[in-house]
Amino acid sequence: MKIFAYVVLLAATTNAFMAPMQTVKPRNSRAVMSASATEASPFVQGPRIIRDELPVVYVYDHCPFCVRVRLALGIKNVKHNVVFLQNDDVPTPTKLIGKKIAPIFGIPEDEFIMSESLDIIEKVDSDERFGTTGQILPATGRKDIKAWQKSVQTLLRTLQRPRYVATGLLPEFQQLDGRHAFIKNHQLPPYEKPEWKGDGTDENPGMPMDEKLKLYAEAMAKDPAPLLEDLNAKLIELNDMVFSEHHCSEGGISMDDVDLWSRLRSVTIIKGAQWPEKLRSYMDNLAALGDVPLYDQMAL
């Protein structure tokens, strides 16, 4: 029994050391189109792009906007450096871009720096130095997926936020100051941001830090079963909306995927989340394609 458990664990963890299972050849079109309305083909990556001076992206690992950029660079097969900022680090991003924000993207060979995830992706996907342009199709305006994301916002904040800091493994939360900075600024439902953070006035100073720490600890200690039941039902809903295991909308890899997958990645930090087959394959395929790992091995 112990040997079987070890083999299962080994099979799961070795995925971290494997290159994406993608056919590598130059792309001749903007997207790989499905052969029929019911079939879809995997995205075909272009050749590896390695500049003499690698582009740099400054991120928080848990941040979906940061993940957007990392995923897009991975899809385009652009080698880049990832710098994980500590969550309480104000001087570094302020020096780079003028304020505490992430992601921040730099092209050292141009002495160029910018922020805002969607602008960064547009910049990279329109620059021939980073491979064939227009590889990532525009967003399709999927209202069903947007409505689904809105419907799970409170649920996911309740489950994900305490787990980000409780693992002790995410790079931005390696130190206590970083964990406390996150808790200080990120409310748990049912609280809203104004009552959690306050507005800096004597009339509304915000919730005391001791109370915030207590609420985060209670959220982790609480039986997650009722919330997991809701989450798993919502994942079944989403499974029906996703077009294929390779891309969520018909036509190929698009900004729909860049946004959706980057948000769904954080769900993998929740132990007990049950992924329908197509949606699970979608998560695994894009993790490999974008070279951005999931959180399954550290789920709580």
Side-chain angles (χ1 to χ4, degrees), residues 168-207:
L169 296 174
L170 273 64
E172 59 265 40
F173 301 132
Q174 288 293 300
Q175 296 175 309
L176 186 63
D177 288 344
R179 297 193 289 276
H180 280 193
F182 181 84
I183 293 170
K184 178 181 178 180
N185 293 314
H186 292 80
Q187 74 275 13
L188 289 178
Y191 298 97
E192 297 295 334
K193 186 173 289 188
E195 58 184 323
W196 187 273
K197 292 185 65 176
D199 59 13
T201 66
D202 292 337
E203 292 76 18
N204 185 19
M207 187 182 294

Side-chain angles (χ1 to χ4, degrees), residues 68-88:
R68 283 176 177 173
V69 176
R70 295 171 62 191
L71 178 63
L73 288 168
I75 289 170
K76 289 184 64 67
N77 211 7
V78 177
K79 185 172 177 60
H80 57 284
N81 285 327
V82 180
V83 177
F84 293 103
L85 298 167
Q86 291 298 298
N87 197 253
D88 63 319

Side-chain angles (χ1 to χ4, degrees), residues 89-123:
D89 181 359
V90 176
T92 300
T94 302
K95 184 178 179 180
L96 288 167
I97 205 74
K99 58 182 176 179
K100 185 181 185 296
I101 193 173
I104 300 171
F105 181 67
I107 305 177
E109 63 188 276
D110 296 344
E111 297 183 353
F112 177 84
I113 199 91
M114 69 182 297
S115 61
E116 300 298 337
S117 61
L118 299 182
D119 293 340
I120 293 168
I121 294 168
E122 182 179 7
K123 167 74 174 174

Side-chain angles (χ1 to χ4, degrees), residues 39-299:
E39 295 181 358
S41 300
F43 181 88
V44 181
Q45 269 185 328
R48 188 68 160 159
I49 305 296
I50 306 177
R51 305 293 300 174
D52 289 339
E53 291 186 90
L54 298 180
V56 184
V57 59
Y58 298 82
V59 302
Y60 305 121
D61 190 76
H62 75 279
C63 167
F65 309 110
C66 299
V67 176
R68 283 176 177 173
V69 176
R70 295 171 62 191
L71 178 63
L73 288 168
I75 289 170
K76 289 184 64 67
N77 211 7
V78 177
K79 185 172 177 60
H80 57 284
N81 285 327
V82 180
V83 177
F84 293 103
L85 298 167
Q86 291 298 298
N87 197 253
D88 63 319
D89 181 359
V90 176
T92 300
T94 302
K95 184 178 179 180
L96 288 167
I97 205 74
K99 58 182 176 179
K100 185 181 185 296
I101 193 173
I104 300 171
F105 181 67
I107 305 177
E109 63 188 276
D110 296 344
E111 297 183 353
F112 177 84
I113 199 91
M114 69 182 297
S115 61
E116 300 298 337
S117 61
L118 299 182
D119 293 340
I120 293 168
I121 294 168
E122 182 179 7
K123 167 74 174 174
V124 171
D125 204 24
S126 62
D127 190 328
E128 292 182 351
R129 293 177 297 177
F130 301 122
T132 303
T133 60
Q135 286 185 295
I136 301 173
L137 297 173
T140 65
R142 292 278 302 270
K143 292 183 180 180
D144 57 341
I145 289 180
K146 289 297 182 185
W148 184 90
Q149 290 174 343
K150 186 174 182 180
S151 75
V152 297
Q153 184 179 69
T154 297
L155 175 63
L156 293 184
R157 283 179 176 177
T158 304
L159 287 167
Q160 288 170 182
R161 287 182 172 179
R163 284 164 174 76
Y164 289 150
V165 293
T167 64
L169 296 174
L170 273 64
E172 59 265 40
F173 301 132
Q174 288 293 300
Q175 296 175 309
L176 186 63
D177 288 344
R179 297 193 289 276
H180 280 193
F182 181 84
I183 293 170
K184 178 181 178 180
N185 293 314
H186 292 80
Q187 74 275 13
L188 289 178
Y191 298 97
E192 297 295 334
K193 186 173 289 188
E195 58 184 323
W196 187 273
K197 292 185 65 176
D199 59 13
T201 66
D202 292 337
E203 292 76 18
N204 185 19
M207 187 182 294
M209 188 63 186
D210 286 347
E211 182 65 17
K212 295 177 182 179
L213 292 170
K214 179 183 176 183
L215 289 169
Y216 263 73
E218 288 175 348
M220 274 305 304
K222 189 175 181 179
D223 181 5
L227 296 178
L228 285 172
E229 184 177 353
D230 292 343
L231 172 61
N232 292 333
K234 297 300 290 187
L235 291 175
I236 291 172
E237 283 184 22
L238 183 61
N239 189 68
D240 292 337
M241 299 178 197
V242 168
F243 177 73
S244 79
E245 66 184 64
H246 302 298
H247 43 84
C248 68
S249 298
E250 189 171 0
I253 289 282
S254 72
M255 290 301 297
D256 293 353
D257 298 293
V258 170
D259 182 66
L260 177 63
W261 189 91
S262 298
R263 296 176 188 274
L264 288 177
R265 175 180 181 250
S266 288
V267 178
T268 63
I269 206 169
I270 304 169
K271 187 176 182 179
Q274 296 176 2
W275 297 85
E277 184 177 358
K278 180 173 60 175
L279 192 58
R280 180 72 241 192
S281 295
Y282 174 77
M283 296 303 298
D284 292 338
N285 288 338
L286 266 70
L289 178 66
D291 196 14
V292 181
L294 299 171
Y295 290 137
D296 298 286
Q297 301 301 321
M298 65 175 75

